[in-house]
Every structure is written in structure tokens, then in C-alpha cells.
Amino acid sequence: MTVDIKNLTKKYKERTAVDNLSLSIEKGEFFALLGQNAAGKTTTIKMLSCLSTPTSGDALMLEDSIVQNPTAVKQKINISPQETAIAPNLSVKENLVFIASIYGSIKQEAEQKAVEMMKKFGLLERAKNKAKTLSGGLQRRLSIAMALISNPQIIFLDEPTLGLDVRSRRDLWKILLELKGKITIVLTTHYLEEVEALADRVGIIHGGKLHALGTIDELKENTGHSSLEDIFLTLTEEEI
Ligand SMILES: Nc1ncnc2c1ncn2[C@@H]1O[C@H](COP(=O)(O)OP(=O)(O)OP(=O)(O)O)[C@@H](O)[C@H]1O
């Protein structure tokens, strides 16, 4: 098991953002955590990537606990957060070199890795441009490239296509599909079509609680609904 989440809970005063979440993710799986605004997706991802401490519960990342051994966990994972992680006044290449250096690469190696990433992510032409001059789609690509440059075994992508236009979203999907199977990916989204296009398995989260877990086919079978949209709407229905 690559990710093993056990009764993970986060409370902010009286509000429970994540409520007793338990689920496991296999090596190389592309897992989507699907939920509407305020469902608890970002809070979950922040705990799993050791940016926030759980109120209770735990998660093992390749056997290391996020509570007991966050330093070991941080060496195996990386995150492309919702709020942009890039330095706006550094160039595309400088951003990548900076992160590679933080993760221990010497200058020449960091430069080499940066070029490799820029090639992979179609950013080579923009190498010298300040990151703040890139479009939203390219900034998000850079953020993902920065998360991958440390060679993590697990990557967390928090709403990677939020606010992107249709073409930028499709371009990013292509990149993510190329990563599929090579690394364990945990992505959060509220876009149903994103889950259908990318994910091996999905967890539907609502009010901090996991409401369903499985492949889209399994969810259809279990709920008797023929579309993910119907499944989602039924499982996240509020009492009026
Ligand atoms: N630092 C915080 N202090 C207090 N409440 C918080 C904090 N962070 C999140 N919350 C609350 O926890 C709940 C879950 O928020 P979270 O950001 O995890 O949701 P989300 O599913 O990522 O939503 P979105 O799609 O809008 O990003 C929300 O009710 C939110 O207001």
C-alpha cells in the first residue's frame, strides 16, 4: 500500500473539515478525490503532504507516518498546491533550478534536471521568462514540474485545472495522462469530467466525510446510476 489513511480528522474550532477519513491507494494508482467547495479536499491533501497536522488519526506514506515521521514522508512526496508555489519574479528555469537545489542537486545537476522538466512540460521556449508572465495554464504546468523535479514517489495535485480554459485543461490532462502509472498521483477536483478522463479510482468526499469509493464502474453498479454526475449529485445531496 502506498497511501494508507486511517481515521484522519481535522477540526478547526467547532468545524470538522475532515471527518474520520479512511482509505488506501495503491502504488502507481491515479486517485481522484472528488468534492464540491468546502468538502475537505484541500485540508486532506495538506495533512497528507505534512503541511498541516491532523487533529486525530494518521496516514502512512510508503510505511512512514505523517504524524510520527513527517521528515521521512516529505522526502517521498511532493505537492502542487492550489495557491501557486512558484516565485513570480524568478524565471521558469530559475524556479526549477531553485527547487532542485533545495532537494540536494548541485548546480550542474539542477540545471540539467530543469532542462529535462522544461522539455517534458513544453516550457523550454519560456525558460528565461519571469514566471509571473506565464498564462494560468503554463503557471500550473510549471508548478507541477516543480513538484516532480524532486522525483517523488507520490504527488499531490490540488485542483490542478481550476480556472483554466478548455484548451489549457486538455493540455494539462495530456501531461497528467503521460504520468499515469509511473508515479502515484492523488488529485483533487470538483470537475466530474476530469475524474472520468484521468482517474483509476475516485473517492467522493462531502462535508469532510467519504461518501463513496471505487472505480466509476463500481460506483455505477453500487448506486444503480448510469452517470458519474447522477452518482455525485445523489451522494452529496443536502437536506433542504
Ligand atoms: N484554516 C482554516 N481555518 C478554519 N476553517 C478552515 C480552514 N481551512 C479550511 N477550513 C474549512 O474547512 C472546510 C473544508 O475546506 P477545504 O479547503 O478543505 O475544502 P475544499 O474541498 O478544498 O474546497 P474548495 O474546492 O473550495 O477548495 C471548509 O468549511 C473551510 O471553510
Side-chain angles (χ1 to χ4, degrees):
M1 209 65 69
T2 293
V3 178
D4 196 6
I5 306 172
K6 295 172 184 165
N7 308 111
L8 199 62
T9 298
K10 180 78 181 184
K11 292 186 177 164
Y12 294 109
K13 294 195 178 134
E14 70 286 351
R15 174 176 292 136
T16 305
V18 176
D19 194 358
N20 217 17
L21 182 72
S22 296
L23 64 94
S24 301
I25 299 168
E26 300 283 348
K27 185 170 185 229
E29 202 175 359
F30 198 134
F31 184 84
L33 200 54
L34 174 69
Q36 58 198 30
N37 292 139
K41 305 181 295 295
T42 298
T43 307
T44 302
I45 293 279
K46 282 196 168 158
M47 286 191 282
L48 296 180
S49 50
C50 306
L51 295 173
S52 155
T53 318
T55 308
S56 60
D58 198 354
L60 300 181
M61 300 286 150
L62 298 147
E63 312 298 329
D64 278 311
S65 154
I66 57 168
V67 178
Q68 319 240 310
N69 207 352
T71 311
V73 170
K74 283 182 194 167
Q75 283 163 9
K76 301 172 182 174
I77 63 136
N78 217 332
I79 177 172
S80 168
Q82 212 178 93
E83 65 278 9
T84 178
I86 62 181
N89 285 316
L90 292 185
S91 73
V92 168
K93 186 174 177 189
E94 285 165 347
N95 264 286
L96 288 161
V97 168
F98 176 62
I99 300 294
S101 309
I102 286 180
Y103 279 91
S105 291
I106 54 161
K107 191 166 180 277
Q108 200 185 354
E109 190 188 35
E111 298 236 340
Q112 203 179 323
K113 283 186 180 174
V115 171
E116 236 170 75
M117 280 298 167
M118 287 188 293
K119 270 189 199 153
K120 209 181 264 181
F121 283 78
L123 289 166
L124 212 44
E125 274 175 28
R126 310 297 299 268
K128 290 184 179 157
N129 296 157
K130 282 190 178 179
K132 68 180 176 192
T133 66
L134 300 184
S135 67
L138 289 188
Q139 288 198 15
R140 201 60 216 232
R141 266 200 234 178
L142 174 58
S143 162
I144 296 172
M146 284 160 67
L148 285 169
I149 207 164
S150 64
N151 220 5
Q153 297 179 63
I154 307 168
I155 186 168
F156 295 100
L157 306 173
D158 195 7
E159 307 215 32
T161 64
L162 190 70
L164 300 191
D165 63 34
V166 177
R167 189 169 309 279
S168 306
R169 171 168 302 152
R170 286 293 168 106
D171 287 346
L172 198 61
W173 284 2
K174 264 191 224 154
I175 285 175
L176 296 181
L177 283 169
E178 274 166 30
L179 287 175
K180 192 168 171 165
K182 296 184 183 134
I183 176 174
T184 306
I185 303 174
V186 183
L187 167 145
T188 74
T189 187
H190 59 255
Y191 296 117
L192 300 160
E193 67 277 19
E194 189 149 297
V195 175
E196 288 174 319
L198 301 175
D200 296 313
R201 224 156 44 97
V202 57
I204 296 180
I205 185 170
H206 186 64
K209 286 195 170 84
L210 191 67
H211 283 238
L213 180 67
T215 63
I216 294 177
D217 284 344
E218 283 165 357
L219 298 191
K220 284 179 183 168
E221 205 168 303
N222 295 343
T223 59
H225 289 299
S226 58
S227 74
L228 182 59
E229 185 163 318
D230 285 339
I231 295 168
F232 182 76
L233 290 174
T234 307
L235 290 174
T236 59
E237 207 158 27
E238 303 285 350
E239 283 180 20
I240 299 168

